[in-house]
Structure formats: structure tokens, C-alpha cells
Amino acid sequence: DAGVIQSPRHEVTEMGQEVTLRCKPISGHNSLFWYRQTMMRGLELLIYFNNNVPIDDSGMPEDRFSAKMPNASFSTLKIQPSEPRDSAVYFCASSPVGAGARNEQFFGPGTRLTVL
Amino acid sequence: AQSVTQPDIHITVSEGASLELRCNYSYGATPYLFWYVQSPGQGLQLLLKYFSGDTLVQGIKGFEAEFKRSQSSFNLRKPSVHWSDAAEYFCAVGPIDNTDKLIFGTGTRLQVFP
């Protein structure tokens, strides 16, 4: 299995531009998580999908952030407009079917976003 | 409230020395507990997990952890550290709010000297 795939691995953009991060979860996994990691705030859960439905988006910082999961094999995290404080590493993780959080979360390699 | 505390932000050990990373949790019932490792520039990888049963669990790369209910702890140990173990280590607890969510600790950065 290829694991969780994220693209791009690195993104450098200018303030005000739209940024779209992409994630392909492991096939058969039914939960998907978007996290943000910074030195100051550590690892933060932004949003969590189960069976393609957003279950908890309380971690999404503000309306500039949006996430979608149009099907079981693809999710996007969009920032519009981007700001320098959005600079961080964004991780996608997926978790297999059944038994709730007994299941390990499998993390992707992350997207390092730099907003100038 | 549910929470995870990793008291040590940064630990330095010599190669070959033993290692113990601390993790304390606050949870209303028996939690599911996890240790993840993050090497520089990489995502998080699961080292080991505890759900029930034997309180001493073995993981990958020679790591083990012991669940101590009386101390609300789940400390990670390794008898002899290798230079390649230098990384950041995260403890996590779940389930949260009857969902698949986990709460992660703030991490402990391990530095290994030759």
C-alpha cells in the first residue's frame, strides 16, 4: 500500500493567494483527519471526516479555511486568502473502518506551507 | 477534561543509554493510548498502542511502554538508544467524544549523542 499521499510536499506562496492542499487516504479507510503543526502550537486537529462527512470542524481557524471530501479517496484543504501566519506543516491522516479510535491513524508525509 | 501531558520538552541521552519518556493523561475511563514518532521532515509513525490486557506493550524499533492506571501514565522506554532514535515523540489518547479523534501531547524531542 502506498500509504497516505499528500501533495504538494512544499508550497511557497504570497499573502493573499489561494492555496489548495490535497490528500489521498489509504484505500478502505473511512476516517480522515487534517492537522496543522507549528512550533508555537504543536499538532492541532483542524477537521475530521467520517465516511466523507465532516464530523468536527471546530479546529478550523477561521472562514479562510475550508475542507472538502468529495469521495472516499480524495480530500482538499483550501486557504483563501492565505496569510503569513498560516505557514506551517499540514498533515493528513486516515484511519481504518470500525471500532472507533482503537484504530491507528496513518499519517501522510505532510505539506510544508510557506506564505510570504 | 481529557488531556495528555508530556512533561519533558527536550531530552538528551548518549547512544547506548536507556531511555524513558513520560506521558500522563487525564481521562474518565480506560483510555486507548498511543506513542508516535516523528523523524525530521516526516509524518508521524505509530510505535505502539494500548487498548486493554497486558499493561506492558511492545512496539517497533525495540520500544515498549507500560500502562499504569494508578499513576495515569503511559511511559515509553527503550533499554539501549541508537543514534537513529533521535526524533520527536508524541503520546496520544482516545477516543474523544465517542469519535475517532485523538488528543496528542506536545511532544518530546530526543537528542542522541555518540
Side-chain angles (χ1 to χ4, degrees), chain B residues 47-65:
Chain B
L47 282 176
L48 48 77
K49 55 193 174 186
Y50 171 79
F51 297 141
S52 63
D54 192 345
T55 56
L56 184 63
V57 294
Q58 303 296 321
I60 62 172
K61 306 184 180 186
F63 285 91
E64 66 178 25

Side-chain angles (χ1 to χ4, degrees), chain B residues 10 18-19 30 35 53 60-61 69 96 102 110:
Chain B
H10 187 201
S18 64
L19 173 70
T30 300
W35 274 100
I60 62 172
K61 306 184 180 186
R69 183 190 305 273
I96 305 301
L102 299 176
L110 174 66

Side-chain angles (χ1 to χ4, degrees), chain B residues 6 13-14 25 32-33 36-37 44 46 57 59 76 78 85 99 108 111:
Chain B
Q6 293 181 247
V13 300
S14 298
Y25 65 88
Y32 302 147
L33 294 158
Y36 284 83
V37 60
L44 279 69
L46 184 74
V57 294
L76 182 71
K78 187 170 186 178
D85 293 324
T99 70
T108 297
Q111 193 170 7

Side-chain angles (χ1 to χ4, degrees), chain B residues 4-113:
Chain B
V4 174
T5 302
Q6 293 181 247
D8 305 305
I9 296 173
H10 187 201
I11 284 183
T12 300
V13 300
S14 298
E15 190 170 19
S18 64
L19 173 70
E20 182 168 25
L21 302 183
R22 296 184 291 166
C23 172
N24 294 99
Y25 65 88
S26 174
Y27 198 82
T30 300
Y32 302 147
L33 294 158
F34 305 80
W35 274 100
Y36 284 83
V37 60
Q38 184 181 25
S39 297
Q42 304 295 315
L44 279 69
Q45 179 187 19
L46 184 74
L47 282 176
L48 48 77
K49 55 193 174 186
Y50 171 79
F51 297 141
S52 63
D54 192 345
T55 56
L56 184 63
V57 294
Q58 303 296 321
I60 62 172
K61 306 184 180 186
F63 285 91
E64 66 178 25
E66 187 171 11
F67 170 59
K68 293 186 177 180
R69 183 190 305 273
S70 61
Q71 298 177 19
S72 297
S73 70
F74 188 58
N75 294 348
L76 182 71
R77 301 193 295 249
K78 187 170 186 178
S80 178
V81 172
H82 188 263
W83 64 266
S84 61
D85 293 324
E88 187 144 21
Y89 292 80
F90 293 90
C91 183
V93 65
I96 305 301
D97 300 329
N98 293 314
T99 70
D100 292 338
K101 293 193 298 184
L102 299 176
I103 290 179
F104 285 84
T106 51
T108 297
R109 182 167 297 278
L110 174 66
Q111 193 170 7
V112 181
F113 281 118

Side-chain angles (χ1 to χ4, degrees), chain A residues 76-98:
Chain A
T76 59
L77 178 67
K78 185 178 294 186
I79 308 173
Q80 166 63 22
S82 58
E83 296 182 2
R85 61 193 168 117
D86 302 330
S87 298
V89 181
Y90 291 81
F91 288 105
C92 176
S94 68
S95 185
V97 174

Side-chain angles (χ1 to χ4, degrees), chain A residues 14 16 26 30 40 51 60:
Chain A
E14 293 187 346
I26 293 172
N30 73 331
M40 292 297 295
N51 292 322
M60 295 287 265

